[in-house]
Amino acid sequence: MKRSISLLVLSLFFTASLQAQSRNDSATVRSIYSEMLSNGKAYDWLRVLSNDIGGRLSGSPEAQQAVEYTRKAMLEAGADTVWLQEVWVPHWVRGAKESGRIIARTGDSQEVPVCALGGSVATPKEGISGNVVEVHDFDELKALGREKIEGKIVFYNHPFDPTFINTFEAYGEAGKYRWSGPSEAARYGAVASIVRSMTLAQDDFPHTGAMGYNDSLPKIPCAAISTNGANLLSNILRADPGARFLLRMDCQLLDSVLSHNVIGEIRGRELPDEVLVVGGHLDSWDTGDGAHDDGAGVMQSVEILRTFKALKLRPKRTIRAIAFMNEENGLRGGRGYAAWASTNSREKHVMAIESDAGGFTPYGFGLDMPEDKKPSIRKYRELFRPYNVWNFEEEHGGADISPLKPSLKVPLVGLVVDSQRYFDYHHAGSDTFDKVNKRELLLGAAAMGSLLYLVSENGF
């Protein structure tokens, strides 16, 4: 009987302790949201990064300016330590503005918006001109074969699939025509390739992005064409199959240059050698100013440091914010950090979280980790429900933090946001600061900061 009473008392005590901890956690999460939404500086930092520095292609002077500016922002945020990690990055330059012109057999011509894909070779100075072969997928390309493609320009008119509710699925499905399309066209003798921009938006902004050559095949120039331009080209080809396209590009790949990841942290009060990483990538394409992709994620991460300091929240474990360099065309920053972390046996990386889906309204967290680890995050679902953060079912983390998974088995988390507008701006000249909503940006920072606090205090 006495043993039963003792067990009951212990059970009641344990339940009361859990309830008290939950109340404390809830109050702290509330304070994080309140501080960020009232006093957050992420939006102001992003304004300078976007408007004053602009597009930050790896290896460019603007990328180096962004490194120094972000270092200063982390110091302003109150980080205990800020340092730069050296990383060698590719240095591809766009050169003079590209041009694309549709030329009818009558001689009439019309300019359409195009931009070189990242990593493309240039055209000759006078450009490349050729008849156009329109295909919608690789099966059509293969069926046409060398006989109908050799000496011509392949036009991949593969639209985003509008039936995907998660627009990242549409991007994943269409991405192969940007990445592999040039080499696949070259396989059959094409002299250049054009790919429809990967967006549902119907506008005049071509969307750039990385491509990769197959070294066993000729390297041909490749460009993206805006969706309006793609529709126009397709319509003209139906009426005039003999129409030609003239493409001019001046891009080139220079020698790799030295750049940096920017790293700032708040040291843990009890377990300083257990590290939680939060970050985004500092580089961007040069066509816009990289506000959503991914200045937003970088400044959200810096905001988390500021908020912890403002609230005098000394985390149990170390919170480390990283502005990664070279996500867009090489992932050198993410790989370099993972390589360094792998040699640092003193530290243990507990979790890494990334924001790289734009500064839009947060809905939840993607969990890229073993199934038995996911309950450690999902148990906080009720704490986030008052903030409309409810989706804990997706499985993505982030590109920059992904190298930490195979090397150190680190559980990865990605901020899940409303993605419906993201690909309107992604990799395009329209990715500018005026497209970012201050409140949405800060809500994303608050969600990540709250999760970091909870995991820091309660473990994984």
Side-chain angles (χ1 to χ4, degrees), residues 125-206:
K125 190 172 183 179
E126 67 276 12
I128 282 182
S129 176
N131 292 110
V132 182
V133 178
E134 178 179 358
V135 299
H136 299 91
D137 54 40
F138 289 142
D139 289 338
E140 285 188 24
L141 182 76
K142 184 177 180 180
L144 288 171
R146 179 171 288 271
E147 182 181 349
K148 295 183 179 178
I149 292 173
E150 189 166 19
K152 298 177 181 177
I153 296 173
V154 168
F155 166 39
Y156 293 101
N157 191 16
H158 185 90
F160 247 32
D161 187 339
T163 65
F164 284 115
I165 304 304
N166 181 343
T167 56
F168 279 89
E169 294 183 44
Y171 179 70
E173 191 273 334
K176 56 182 174 285
Y177 299 104
R178 187 188 76 199
W179 178 262
S180 302
S183 288
E184 289 305 306
R187 186 184 302 279
Y188 302 102
V191 296
S193 71
I194 305 168
V195 65
R196 182 188 184 93
S197 287
M198 289 190 287
T199 177
L200 287 166
Q202 302 298 306
D203 60 26
D204 292 316
F205 290 102

Side-chain angles (χ1 to χ4, degrees), residues 277 349-354 365-370 373-374 377 394-415 451 460:
V277 165
H349 280 67
V350 177
M351 184 185 78
I353 182 170
E354 182 164 8
F365 301 103
L367 308 181
D368 184 2
M369 61 190 70
K373 294 282 189 182
K374 292 179 180 179
I377 301 298
E394 294 191 25
E395 298 183 347
H396 71 276
D400 296 287
I401 59 177
S402 63
L404 290 167
K405 185 178 179 182
S407 62
L408 293 171
K409 310 300 181 188
V410 179
L412 308 182
V413 178
L415 183 67
L451 183 61
F460 202 95

